[in-house]
Amino acid sequence: MTRVFSGIQPSGTIHLGNYVGALMNWVKMQDEADAIYCIVDLHALTLPQEPGEIAQGTIDAARVLLAVGIDPEGSTLFVQSHVREHNELNWIMQTVTAYGELGRMTQFKDKSERNVFTSASLFTYPALQAADILLYDTDVVPVGDDQRQHLELTRDVAARFNSRYGDTLVVPEHRIPPSGARVMDLQNPENKMSKSLDSPAGTVNIDDTPAQIAKKFKRAVTDNDNEVRYDPASKPGVSNLLSILGAMTDTEPETLAESYTQYGQLKVDTAEAVIEKIRPIQERWEALDEATIKAHLENGANKARAVAQPVMQRVRDAVGLYQ
Ligand code: TRP
């Protein structure tokens, strides 16, 4: 069976971009594959965190993942720091990653410009991400387009490891979710909806009330030419609304565009579709208590270790560490 692995950072509230760009697809893939989903708390530490924030973020992220429909029995849901092998393989991956390769990562360049403190971990982050993926003999990694470079790097370092030490690691493939992989900020439709953009009016959070969601869509930035057409390059705002509505209704944005003449109606319908999609998620979310979530995560970590430990042993053997 195909092994799927993906990760999400537990920093800040999960928003519509995470849901459409990643989580909807995670839920779908767990039926077709052996899916392993990881809350990557160690990755979140690459930017400064207040003590306590990371634990709360982890529990919140797990709650959302369970509420959107990740099945903790059928798939594996766990926390990165609970499986120590991630960091052990991280180090080995750093030894087969070139300094120059890391320097070319656009996410590193963006984040190091935006933040006052650039940690060494922000620079080596892609090696940890490679370790996450390679530790599970992963075939397919479903992540958004923004992770393309990190996935390419993962493939390169896996291949480099294999050519240096013999065939040991599975070289994974990147799978970008089919439609609406990139939800854009409602106020700045040229930019991806993002936790780090700090654009509250442009970001729809998974815990927003219906009134908040309606308001954010009503104020969404469009353009002045009053033509509903799917054309992300010249009409980013309108195209974003069409692709969100498309993701909610499983319809192509081009097809949806044909049934609209007014931006106002498109905004109302998109808001409504999002509200209806989020409503049952919020109900499940409210019903989950921390003890249940914790038990699922412990069980998930046990299942993850059972896969990770033999792979790590293979790596130690291949490298030839004295044991
Ligand atoms: N870098 C990813 C992001 O910021 C998160 C991540 C960490 C990840 N490890 C991963 C995604 C492994 C997929 C596979 O979104």
Side-chain angles (χ1 to χ4, degrees):
M1 204 192 245
T2 306
R3 167 76 46 74
V4 161
F5 182 96
S6 199
I8 189 165
Q9 292 203 38
S11 40
T13 322
I14 289 179
H15 54 66
L16 189 66
N18 305 127
Y19 179 59
V20 173
L23 303 185
M24 276 176 76
N25 201 44
W26 287 20
V27 172
K28 209 161 80 206
M29 289 192 104
Q30 65 185 352
D31 298 331
E32 306 152 11
D34 174 8
I36 303 182
Y37 298 131
C38 182
I39 299 170
V40 291
D41 55 346
L42 299 175
H43 275 95
L45 293 180
T46 56
L47 297 178
Q49 305 278 332
E50 295 294 327
E53 242 176 41
I54 195 85
Q56 191 56 50
T58 300
I59 258 301
D60 292 347
R63 189 187 295 272
V64 171
L65 292 174
L66 292 164
V68 300
I70 298 300
D71 169 15
E73 306 299 327
S75 65
T76 298
L77 175 65
F78 76 106
V79 179
Q80 187 183 32
S81 65
H82 294 181
V83 179
R84 311 282 180 219
E85 284 75 9
H86 283 257
N87 240 332
E88 188 179 353
L89 188 58
N90 168 34
W91 183 257
I92 304 288
M93 288 304 110
Q94 288 192 42
T95 68
V96 285
T97 305
Y99 180 81
E101 280 173 319
L102 293 174
R104 284 195 292 276
M105 296 293 116
T106 54
Q107 199 172 77
F108 171 72
K109 290 188 218 167
D110 291 350
K111 286 191 180 173
S112 55
E113 269 164 30
R114 271 207 303 261
N115 290 284
V116 276
F117 181 71
T118 301
S119 67
S121 67
L122 191 63
F123 187 66
T124 57
Y125 173 121
L128 177 60
Q129 182 164 352
D132 298 340
I133 296 165
L134 299 172
L135 199 47
Y136 296 92
D137 285 339
T138 302
D139 300 302
V140 171
V141 186
V143 272
D145 191 42
D146 65 317
Q147 293 298 313
R148 187 187 293 278
Q149 229 189 357
H150 290 161
L151 250 295
E152 278 308 315
L153 183 72
T154 300
R155 289 166 53 83
D156 290 347
V157 301
R160 188 173 302 136
F161 183 96
N162 287 344
S163 77
R164 193 179 290 184
Y165 296 114
D167 220 358
T168 311
L169 299 169
V170 174
V171 181
E173 272 170 30
H174 187 192
R175 178 108 24 105
I176 299 176
S179 82
R182 272 167 85 93
V183 172
M184 311 309 274
D185 186 280
L186 299 182
Q187 289 300 313
N188 311 280
E190 280 90 9
N191 295 318
K192 213 177 73 140
M193 192 177 281
S194 159
K195 297 175 217 206
S196 36
L197 198 62
D198 195 24
S199 164
T203 309
V204 176
N205 291 316
I206 203 97
D207 59 0
D208 278 350
T209 62
Q212 285 171 318
I213 297 172
K215 187 165 160 193
K216 288 177 185 177
F217 277 102
K218 192 168 173 196
R219 298 192 178 166
V221 166
T222 49
D223 53 45
N224 314 324
D225 72 17
N226 270 316
E227 189 197 350
V228 180
R229 181 160 49 85
Y230 185 69
D231 180 352
S234 54
K235 299 175 71 73
V238 174
S239 302
N240 188 34
L241 295 171
L242 288 166
S243 69
I244 294 171
L245 183 58
M248 296 297 111
T249 57
D250 208 7
T251 315
E252 289 306 316
E254 291 86 350
T255 313
L256 288 169
E258 290 163 16
S259 34
Y260 286 95
T261 50
Q262 306 271 323
Y263 292 171
Q265 192 60 42
L266 174 61
K267 289 180 175 183
V268 168
D269 289 359
T270 307
E272 195 54 34
V274 170
I275 290 166
E276 288 315 314
K277 195 75 159 188
I278 285 182
R279 192 190 306 278
I281 296 174
Q282 291 186 348
E283 283 167 9
R284 284 195 293 271
W285 185 81
E286 306 239 340
L288 279 161
D289 62 275
E290 188 172 335
T292 308
I293 299 169
K294 198 169 172 31
H296 284 316
L297 293 176
E298 278 172 13
N299 182 39
N302 287 332
K303 290 198 283 179
R305 274 184 218 108
V307 181
Q309 285 172 347
V311 177
M312 193 62 229
Q313 188 55 45
R314 237 161 54 209
V315 170
R316 289 184 206 110
D317 292 342
V319 171
L321 293 169
Y322 183 65
Q323 292 170 74

